Amino acid sequence: KAGVTQTPRYLIKTRGQQVTLSCSPISGHRSVSWYQQTPGQGLQFLFEYFSETQRNKGNFPGRFSGRQFSNSRSEMNVSTLELGDSALYLCASSLQGAGNTEAFFGQGTRLTVV
Amino acid sequence: GDSVTQMEGPVTLSEEAFLTINCTYTATGYPSLFWYVQYPGEGLQLLLKATKADDKGSNKGFEATYRKETTSFHLEKGSVQVSDSAVYFCALSYSGDSSYKLIFGSGTRLLVRP
């Protein structure tokens, strides 16, 4: 079966712009979570959605937001981009949420802010 | 709060050498423990997991045992291959918990030379 698909794979944006990243989970998975990966901070949890409801949010500023659609696809948005937002953004899907069921990761979107 | 600590990398080994990557955790409850692997340019793949004390997870020649008394989950492999070169992440999560997130260590890069 198809895995987790993240689009686009690479993005270059300018400071102050906003960006939207997309994640299509494995068919049948209703939980989608997002992580930011940077060399300095490692992998940090952004938020998790299940059936269109955000169930948990990490310690990130309000510039980071997300949503989930009825087909379980998810988007995350970062407004007013800063240089420090440059990172690999990873999406993970699971049946019921990490910890309860296995999380499968996409290949990530590499965001570069210049 | 909960956290995961991994040994600093990179770890450089010759092919067929024995591998150990140390992982210790701090947890308020009884988490499940995971090892994920990230190959260059890819997302994370679940390598193995253990859900309770004294459980041993194993996959592709890798093993790790959940040691509650030492709060450790060290990754081992008897004979590494060049294809094992990757970054390895130790992580914890709680089943039945409402956080729905994985807490990751900082990652350990493994380089295996022919």
Side-chain angles (χ1 to χ4, degrees):
Chain A
K1 59 183 177 181
V4 180
T5 303
Q6 291 188 245
T7 55
R9 288 292 309 276
Y10 303 93
L11 268 177
I12 300 176
K13 290 287 188 179
T14 304
R15 268 184 306 174
Q17 288 186 314
Q18 75 164 20
V19 67
T20 299
L21 312 182
S22 178
C23 173
S24 293
I26 292 170
S27 178
H29 286 193
R30 295 163 66 187
S31 168
V32 174
S33 51
W34 289 88
Y35 293 82
Q36 181 195 64
Q37 184 178 19
T38 60
Q41 299 298 317
L43 280 152
Q44 292 188 291
F45 171 78
L46 280 155
F47 27 64
E48 191 263 0
Y49 288 88
F50 183 86
S51 293
E52 303 179 67
T53 299
Q54 185 184 88
R55 296 194 296 188
N56 195 12
K57 186 178 192 304
N59 188 25
F60 279 82
R63 299 185 297 106
F64 291 82
S65 63
R67 59 178 175 170
Q68 187 180 34
F69 302 96
S70 58
N71 63 357
S72 293
R73 190 177 71 84
S74 177
E75 290 181 345
M76 68 162 281
N77 183 276
V78 187
S79 62
T80 319
L81 283 165
E82 301 177 0
L83 295 179
D85 298 332
S86 295
L88 180 67
Y89 290 88
L90 292 166
C91 161
S93 83
S94 65
L95 283 168
Q96 296 174 7
N100 293 316
T101 52
E102 182 177 344
F104 295 83
F105 284 81
Q107 292 183 293
T109 295
R110 172 77 60 187
L111 171 65
T112 302
V113 182
V114 298
Chain B
D2 298 342
S3 64
V4 176
T5 302
Q6 291 182 234
M7 61 189 290
E8 292 270 339
V11 174
T12 303
L13 296 172
S14 298
E15 205 165 24
E16 298 184 3
F18 184 86
L19 168 71
T20 300
I21 299 178
N22 291 337
C23 170
T24 57
Y25 66 91
T26 302
T28 52
Y30 303 97
S32 296
L33 300 174
F34 307 84
W35 277 101
Y36 280 85
V37 58
Q38 186 176 35
Y39 298 101
E42 302 291 322
L44 277 69
Q45 300 175 24
L46 179 63
L47 184 58
L48 53 84
K49 68 177 182 181
T51 58
K52 61 182 187 297
D54 300 324
D55 267 2
K56 177 186 282 189
S58 61
N59 186 26
K60 300 180 182 179
F62 291 89
E63 292 182 340
T65 301
Y66 190 138
R67 301 284 188 203
K68 183 167 172 283
E69 62 276 12
T70 55
T71 61
S72 64
F73 192 54
H74 304 323
L75 182 67
E76 297 182 335
K77 187 176 185 184
S79 176
V80 293
Q81 306 300 313
V82 172
S83 57
D84 294 326
S85 297
V87 181
Y88 293 81
F89 292 90
C90 185
L92 68 81
S93 187
Y94 292 94
S95 61
D97 179 67
S98 60
S99 67
Y100 307 109
K101 68 179 182 183
L102 290 154
I103 297 171
F104 289 93
S106 56
T108 302
R109 182 175 301 277
L110 170 65
L111 177 60
V112 181
R113 300 192 184 279

